[in-house]
Amino acid sequence: MNAIATITTTLKDWESDQEVRWCPGCGDYAILKAVQRTMPEIGANPATTVFVSGIGCSSRFPYYMASYGFHTIHGRAPAFATGIKLSNPELDIWLVTGDGDGMSIGGNHTMHLIRRNLNCQIMLFNNEIYGLTKGQYSPTSRQGTTSPTTPLGSVDRPASPAAFALGSGARFIGRGFDVSKHLPDVLKAAHAHRGAAFIEIFQNCIVYNKDVFEDFAAPKGAEDRQLWLKNGEPMLFGSDKTGGVKGIALDAEKLTLKVVDVTDGDWQGAGVIVHDVTNRSVAHMLVEMPFGPFPMALGVLYDDPRPTYEDAVLGQDAQAREGKNTDLRKLLAKGQTWTVSEDQGPLSGV
């Protein structure tokens, strides 16, 4: 399949004429601006770019991008995205969903889009709550979350979107959060990946789940609580100003990850792992790292492309048509046919 042509644009070229309407302070504003800044940097063309969404606060996104867009039905954005890509594989598809839309009613659709490996970018805004329908708990809400549907606190174990995506066969997993300056870098890496690129974006719901991510997203002391992964670089976090540099190492006995202290910059002596984006086993460990004893793993966790769904489907179709004359009239006339003339009376014996 031919690569999607790139053009030169500015941020203004991606801002639609629609009034952006989310709650004041909503993290979606920051994500929108990050995406609009990213589009010119990857050479995207509004005429060949499509944003597809389901239902939820995040799903207002297509209205605010000066490109093509589909605001579809609850949880079914992956099905629409698949049809759009198969109809015109030259289009650049961005799927926008939330933890409720994409992990609950749309969980099966998300799974099949990922396992098929449709070439698209999947941005899942995770605010750990249902925002549009007034604050009910969602599949990603933490245990103990109080809401209109869990007044005594949720007893459900929360789903991990990144772990779900890996288990569904994803070949790209990225993570960021709404106000991070690094979010555009994650989006660029996702776009450069050929196949289904899954990006979990932690997003602050200012009304129903305010500051739920402050434990790792707050600017003060962020270096101690955030592990920004870069391919080929050691997994280091922290600083000498805040208690020392630390790293992530492999506990060979338990085959799990552990936090180690790094003294005098000797990360190799401390056994710190060098990040390899193609290592699926370590990617699973990173998405499952419990925050608290570990930092939050952010950036590109996994990136190992394989052939895409549309290439396989369209290639199969081309092979089936090879050497054949496509004549619809001839096909319809094949086999048993009847010709009914105008003067023919009612059929008898029926």
Side-chain angles (χ1 to χ4, degrees), residues 150-201:
T150 54
L152 300 180
S154 171
V155 298
D156 288 7
R157 290 182 61 84
S160 165
F164 169 84
L166 265 177
S168 299
R171 310 298 295 193
F172 181 101
I173 301 291
R175 260 195 191 150
F177 58 93
D178 45 18
V179 296
S180 171
K181 65 180 181 181
H182 301 297
L183 181 57
D185 293 330
V186 180
L187 298 174
K188 291 176 198 173
H191 187 262
H193 174 90
R194 184 161 175 77
F198 185 88
I199 314 112
E200 179 183 12
I201 305 175

Side-chain angles (χ1 to χ4, degrees), residues 2-25:
N2 295 328
I4 296 173
T6 61
I7 67 168
T8 300
T9 60
T10 66
L11 183 149
K12 292 292 183 183
D13 293 321
W14 292 92
E15 295 177 339
S16 78
D17 60 359
Q18 300 298 299
E19 179 187 358
V20 181
R21 298 184 66 183
W22 284 305
C23 299

Side-chain angles (χ1 to χ4, degrees), residues 264-318:
D264 299 326
D266 185 15
W267 59 267
Q268 292 169 307
V272 175
I273 299 173
V274 173
H275 186 41
D276 176 3
V277 292
T278 66
N279 191 322
R280 190 174 186 83
S281 297
V282 173
H284 274 284
M285 295 182 189
L286 289 169
V287 300
E288 296 285 4
M289 271 193 332
F291 179 74
F294 290 90
M296 178 60 69
L298 300 163
V300 178
L301 283 66
Y302 182 59
D303 185 358
D304 189 17
R306 66 174 171 84
T308 66
Y309 180 65
E310 69 274 13
D311 283 354
V313 170
L314 298 174
Q316 187 180 64
D317 181 63

Side-chain angles (χ1 to χ4, degrees), residues 39-284:
M39 294 294 108
E41 295 181 15
I42 61 176
N45 183 349
T48 56
T49 301
V50 185
F51 283 84
V52 187
S53 67
I55 295 296
C57 296
S58 63
S59 295
R60 301 180 63 83
F61 210 91
Y63 296 103
Y64 308 138
M65 297 296 299
S67 67
Y68 288 101
F70 285 78
H71 189 177
T72 71
I73 52 181
H74 208 184
R76 273 64 177 184
F80 283 84
T82 301
I84 295 166
K85 190 68 175 180
L86 290 179
S87 299
N88 187 351
E90 303 304 320
L91 294 176
D92 190 11
I93 309 294
W94 293 76
L95 195 149
V96 187
T97 186
D99 47 300
D101 182 63
M103 293 291 293
S104 184
I105 189 170
N108 59 329
H109 292 276
T110 304
M111 178 188 73
H112 294 307
L113 180 79
I114 291 171
R115 73 172 179 84
R116 286 171 173 153
N117 199 37
L118 188 81
N119 188 22
C120 65
Q121 294 73 237
I122 308 158
M123 297 188 295
L124 187 143
F125 298 6
N126 182 10
N127 57 19
E128 296 186 3
I129 208 77
Y130 278 101
L132 187 67
T133 51
K134 306 300 182 285
Q136 301 88 341
Y137 86 117
S138 86
T140 61
S141 295
R142 304 177 194 188
Q143 287 180 303
T145 298
T146 56
S147 76
T149 46
T150 54
L152 300 180
S154 171
V155 298
D156 288 7
R157 290 182 61 84
S160 165
F164 169 84
L166 265 177
S168 299
R171 310 298 295 193
F172 181 101
I173 301 291
R175 260 195 191 150
F177 58 93
D178 45 18
V179 296
S180 171
K181 65 180 181 181
H182 301 297
L183 181 57
D185 293 330
V186 180
L187 298 174
K188 291 176 198 173
H191 187 262
H193 174 90
R194 184 161 175 77
F198 185 88
I199 314 112
E200 179 183 12
I201 305 175
F202 298 109
Q203 176 253 322
N204 186 31
C205 177
I206 195 74
V207 175
Y208 297 111
N209 212 15
K210 184 180 178 182
D211 297 337
V212 71
F213 303 116
E214 281 296 280
D215 48 4
F216 70 84
K220 187 176 180 180
E223 59 269 28
D224 293 323
R225 303 187 305 271
Q226 298 173 14
L227 172 64
W228 283 97
L229 298 158
K230 293 185 179 180
N231 190 40
E233 295 188 12
M235 298 184 187
L236 298 172
F237 64 101
S239 71
D240 292 327
K241 297 179 181 179
T242 57
V245 176
K246 300 181 185 299
I248 302 297
L250 180 66
D251 187 328
E253 184 177 338
K254 297 181 180 179
L255 291 180
T256 57
L257 299 179
K258 63 181 180 180
V259 174
V260 295
D261 292 319
V262 176
T263 56
D264 299 326
D266 185 15
W267 59 267
Q268 292 169 307
V272 175
I273 299 173
V274 173
H275 186 41
D276 176 3
V277 292
T278 66
N279 191 322
R280 190 174 186 83
S281 297
V282 173
H284 274 284

